[in-house]
Amino acid sequence: RQAQEGALQPVLARPKFSNMHGIMQGFFAKLEEEPAGYDVHRQECEPAREGEQADLPPMGLSGPGPGDRTGGPTRNDFPTVPLGFSFRRPLRLGPRAQFHVRLTSQASAEKESAHDAASAEGTLDGPSAALEEPMYAVAVYFPLLAVIIPRWLHIFGNGCEGKRHVYLLSGYGEPVNREHEEDANSTEFLAKAMAVFLSRTYSYCTPILLNSGSGLFKHESNMIFIHKTLRPMMNKQRRDIVEQYGEDWPAHFHVTFALGDGPHARMAQLTSGLREYRPDLLHMWQLKTFWHYRHLRFGDVDIEPFVHKDSTPSEPVRDMPADIQALVGEMALYKREFEQSVTTGDSELSSFWLRKTGKPVLSVLMVRTAGGAVKFYRGINLEVSMPTGSLCSERNAIGNALSSETHLARRNFEMIGVLSLPDIRSYVNVPEARESRGDNPIAPCGSCMEWLRKIAGATPDFRIINFTDLSLEHAFVRSVAAFGHV
């Protein structure tokens, strides 16, 4: 910032929302006009607490690009990560009034904050000389990207041989102040500057820019943008992966949703519209660590797998009611007996009954008779390559129950547990594959859900039990209605 003595006083500044478009447009023009006029600025990134360092990205993240080489160990053995750009010549910007500012000393910062508040409330007497002073940019920082990108690459990108795409979504909303330009709060050029940063620092990541235009604060506008622009592009990439990998495409397609802050309408529609892709979540829960303390911390990012952020979260089975624990116990017994059977080599399941996909799904149905006795009935999916099609494990279990107890009514059905196992051929060829998660939690298909809805019509408390993994230690307990329309 230009001080009265003519010297530049270092400060941290961020554009006010109503000045975002013009300021970031100037930054982006600088990056385009002088590609050699700036250097990548790096900074240490700290763990959130003692003992968390083992979870930090290693030196040199996975990938072929030189941008991932973030330097050797520092005095604290914290990795350094790309933070932004340092300009070789200061870039003159607009007046101080267009920015929120933090000075280096806390007392000065508090004074500036009070000045900001007075300016926003219109309580300043006449124009302030300080607010009219010009600002000069010597660097531009992206602290959220600086933490999220290495975290993402370390957790989801290690060993990944495919492409890594980063979608940068921008837009603008109708300003409350009619004196402001319609697109004054647009984040379009902020996204473009971020794309330059990613291309320069992580050359193996491809940024994709999508600008929704106006309507950022409106649900309908965001819904149209997501379903007519964002999803079609993601679907195109998914089709390309299917074309390349065939039925193994799910192992090569993964979506991560990074949440920081933003309009409720945008966040709600993204959360809803991307659900089909089962995205894992990187949530930047602490947004201003760098602003207040000049620090970067990997602990500011929460990692939430898709299976854990369901509207009904998983719970430890040991804390569940006795009837659910009994069903899980029966499922554990069924799983052990199934594994013993297929590993002997005498079963035709892999060679005939499951030869289409090789993926067994086990179901256990709990019924309570009129006399109060609890009984369990088992089912397994059968996928014979014939025009008659396949039989899912849920419907198989229901059929087994009714064929054994023809007097059963729908009100006798209490719950059904469903467990996906690894490829059946791995039990013989690759035994360690049994430690994988399978496709859990696995939801009933459309046909099974129709059957279960009919049962729930007479027994609204009927529950579906799914599992997070093969340990059966955590489970989801949901009603049929919680699945919506499958």
Side-chain angles (χ1 to χ4, degrees):
R1 182 164 78 93
Q2 185 71 44
Q4 291 181 357
E5 296 80 4
L8 289 177
Q9 182 180 4
V11 299
L12 275 183
R14 52 189 174 89
K16 293 182 177 178
F17 193 48
S18 58
N19 300 111
M20 180 67 70
H21 180 71
I23 292 170
M24 293 312 302
Q25 188 174 19
F27 275 122
F28 180 68
K30 174 80 170 179
L31 298 176
E32 274 201 320
E33 293 169 5
E34 299 183 37
Y38 57 86
D39 300 302
V40 174
H41 180 87
R42 290 174 166 82
Q43 179 168 312
E44 293 177 5
C45 196
E46 304 174 4
R49 60 183 183 273
E50 287 296 323
E52 194 177 61
Q53 183 165 336
D55 196 33
L56 294 177
M59 292 298 158
L61 300 169
S62 62
D68 70 328
R69 292 295 170 185
T70 55
T74 66
R75 64 183 182 279
N76 294 319
D77 287 334
F78 295 158
T80 60
V81 296
L83 173 60
F85 298 129
S86 297
F87 296 121
R88 296 175 185 174
R89 292 184 301 170
L91 171 65
R92 179 167 178 146
L93 304 172
R96 154 76 179 79
Q98 295 181 353
F99 295 85
H100 298 288
V101 173
R102 283 192 70 86
L103 302 181
T104 49
S105 71
Q106 183 61 32
S108 297
E110 292 174 357
K111 181 179 178 182
E112 289 286 348
S113 297
H115 203 79
D116 275 344
S119 174
E121 296 171 7
T123 57
L124 290 176
D125 295 328
S128 168
L131 292 177
E132 297 302 320
E133 292 178 1
M135 301 285 285
Y136 292 84
V138 295
V140 57
Y141 300 141
F142 305 101
L144 303 190
L145 280 183
V147 176
I148 285 177
I149 295 298
R151 203 77 164 114
W152 171 59
L153 291 171
H154 175 68
I155 297 169
F156 301 111
N158 279 343
C160 174
E161 299 178 355
K163 300 176 181 178
R164 301 172 178 88
H165 298 283
V166 180
Y167 282 80
L168 299 170
L169 309 184
S170 59
Y172 63 90
E174 181 179 346
V176 176
N177 190 335
R178 300 297 181 182
E179 295 181 359
H180 294 159
E181 295 290 334
E182 181 184 10
D183 61 349
N185 57 45
S186 172
T187 54
E188 178 182 8
F189 285 99
L190 171 61
K192 289 183 176 181
M194 288 179 170
V196 174
F197 170 71
L198 290 174
S199 298
R200 175 74 181 270
T201 56
Y202 298 98
S203 59
Y204 48 89
C205 292
T206 302
I208 298 176
L209 293 163
L210 293 179
N211 181 21
S212 64
S214 62
L216 184 62
F217 304 143
K218 297 181 178 180
H219 279 271
E220 183 177 0
S221 299
N222 281 285
M223 180 179 64
I224 293 172
F225 166 64
I226 291 166
H227 287 275
K228 292 192 175 181
T229 302
L230 175 59
R231 284 171 53 101
M233 183 168 289
M234 295 177 67
N235 289 341
K236 168 63 167 59
Q237 291 182 327
R238 184 168 58 180
R239 288 194 298 272
D240 291 343
I241 292 174
V242 173
E243 184 71 23
Q244 183 175 358
Y245 296 102
E247 293 184 3
D248 292 333
W249 71 266
H252 302 273
F253 182 79
H254 179 263
V255 176
T256 307
F257 182 23
L259 266 179
D261 194 10
H264 176 269
R266 177 78 104 198
M267 295 300 188
Q269 292 299 329
L270 278 173
T271 302
S272 172
L274 298 183
R275 186 176 179 82
E276 171 190 336
Y277 307 103
R278 300 173 61 85
D280 291 324
L281 174 67
L282 288 182
H283 174 47
M284 193 77 177
W285 67 274
Q286 189 61 269
L287 298 174
K288 293 186 178 180
T289 298
F290 185 80
W291 176 253
H292 289 292
Y293 304 108
R294 316 297 194 268
H295 294 169
L296 299 176
R297 303 191 336 157
F298 286 115
D300 288 346
V301 181
D302 274 345
I303 302 123
E304 194 73 12
F306 176 81
V307 296
H308 290 169
K309 63 185 178 68
D310 191 273
S311 58
T312 304
S314 64
E315 297 179 16
V317 171
R318 66 176 181 273
D319 297 334
M320 293 183 175
D323 57 348
I324 296 178
Q325 292 190 35
L327 181 139
V328 176
E330 177 66 19
M331 179 65 81
L333 178 61
Y334 186 14
K335 174 176 173 287
R336 287 196 301 272
E337 293 177 356
F338 174 86
E339 291 174 340
Q340 292 171 0
S341 173
V342 298
T343 52
T344 62
D346 297 332
S347 173
E348 276 193 333
L349 284 173
S350 61
S351 61
F352 184 76
W353 297 107
L354 288 174
R355 66 175 184 247
K356 288 178 66 177
T357 66
K359 294 183 177 181
V361 178
L362 308 183
S363 286
V364 172
L365 176 69
M366 175 190 284
V367 301
R368 191 180 299 272
T369 65
V374 171
K375 295 185 177 181
F376 297 104
Y377 295 94
R378 298 174 176 181
I380 188 172
N381 57 317
L382 302 174
E383 300 171 340
V384 182
S385 297
M386 296 191 305
T388 52
S390 303
L391 177 63
C392 294
S393 66
E394 298 95 322
R395 286 178 283 160
N396 196 339
I398 295 170
N400 282 340
L402 290 170
S403 62
S404 300
E405 305 280 349
T406 56
H407 61 277
L408 287 175
R410 287 176 293 163
R411 63 178 178 272
N412 298 125
F413 293 3
E414 293 205 346
M415 67 184 77
I416 189 167
V418 187
L419 177 68
S420 169
L421 298 179
D423 192 313
I424 192 170
R425 289 157 289 202
S426 66
Y427 285 94
V428 177
N429 302 324
V430 190
E432 60 269 22
R434 280 174 282 177
E435 301 302 319
S436 72
R437 196 179 73 188
D439 291 329
N440 296 294
I442 185 168
C445 70
S447 297
C448 289
M449 188 57 72
E450 285 300 319
W451 283 42
L452 298 179
R453 285 199 188 99
K454 298 297 185 183
I455 294 174
T459 312
D461 292 335
F462 184 83
R463 289 157 290 175
I464 301 173
I465 315 299
N466 300 113
F467 303 92
T468 59
D469 53 41
L470 299 181
S471 71
L472 307 185
E473 293 177 356
H474 288 77
F476 299 93
V477 181
R478 290 171 286 193
S479 67
V480 173
F483 285 85
H485 293 281
V486 178

